[in-house]
Amino acid sequence: MIAGIVDIKDVQHIWHKVEPMLDRVCNRSQGELLAKDYLPYIMDGDAQLWVAVDDGNILMTMVTQFIEYPQKKILRVTAIAGENFSELHKEFNDMFESFALDNGCTALELWGRKGWKKMLPEWSSKYIVFTKDLTKRMH
């Protein structure tokens, strides 16, 4: 298995395989982004596309972005989709953390469902984001 960040020049060549995976993430979101919305951020270098590949098949994809707060910089996982997460987490973890540290980050952040907690026991949950849909009041 090979895992890592996809070079910007290669993103367009694999996007047709990655986009349906990201669609599954977007279907569980609050409608902030569609899979196609990630592409401009990735191509502009404002986000990073990661993949895990085995025998030419993309098993997992992940989108990250740097967030610079006034007091610290973090690497945020904004989308992750695929299969064999527990196995891939072990493969990805050191690489992902090293990438963050090499880029001056002092923390990682993951946007995801509560179910991620059982796979990320070393991560803490500091707060939960509550949302309320107001679209019905707009008409």
Side-chain angles (χ1 to χ4, degrees), residues 24-41:
R24 292 194 307 252
V25 173
C26 294
N27 289 339
R28 295 182 176 183
S29 73
Q30 297 293 309
E32 300 89 356
L33 296 164
L34 299 174
K36 67 180 182 176
D37 297 329
Y38 287 106
L39 187 57
Y41 293 110

Side-chain angles (χ1 to χ4, degrees), residues 53-115:
V53 179
D54 192 26
D55 291 329
N57 296 314
I58 297 176
L59 302 178
M60 187 183 77
T61 188
M62 178 171 69
V63 178
T64 60
Q65 70 181 136
F66 295 111
I67 305 297
E68 294 197 38
Y69 293 108
Q71 303 303 316
K72 68 181 188 178
K73 181 178 180 182
I74 65 164
L75 183 62
R76 177 183 291 160
V77 178
T78 58
I80 188 166
E83 51 192 60
N84 301 330
F85 287 117
S86 57
E87 178 184 327
L88 293 172
H89 172 67
K90 293 172 189 167
E91 298 286 331
F92 251 99
N93 196 51
D94 288 340
M95 179 186 345
F96 177 63
E97 288 182 13
S98 294
F99 175 76
L101 289 167
D102 289 347
N103 284 279
C105 296
T106 58
L108 302 173
E109 185 176 275
L110 179 131
W111 287 10
R113 295 172 294 133
K114 290 180 183 179

Side-chain angles (χ1 to χ4, degrees), residues 30 129-137:
Q30 297 293 309
V129 176
F130 293 92
T131 63
K132 181 178 180 182
D133 186 357
L134 298 177
T135 56
K136 293 176 183 152
R137 292 192 56 194

Side-chain angles (χ1 to χ4, degrees), residues 23 42 47 49 58 69 85 88 92 104 117-118 120 127 135:
D23 275 332
I42 293 165
L49 178 66
I58 297 176
Y69 293 108
F85 287 117
L88 293 172
F92 251 99
K117 180 61 182 155
K118 65 183 169 220
L120 303 171
Y127 53 87
T135 56

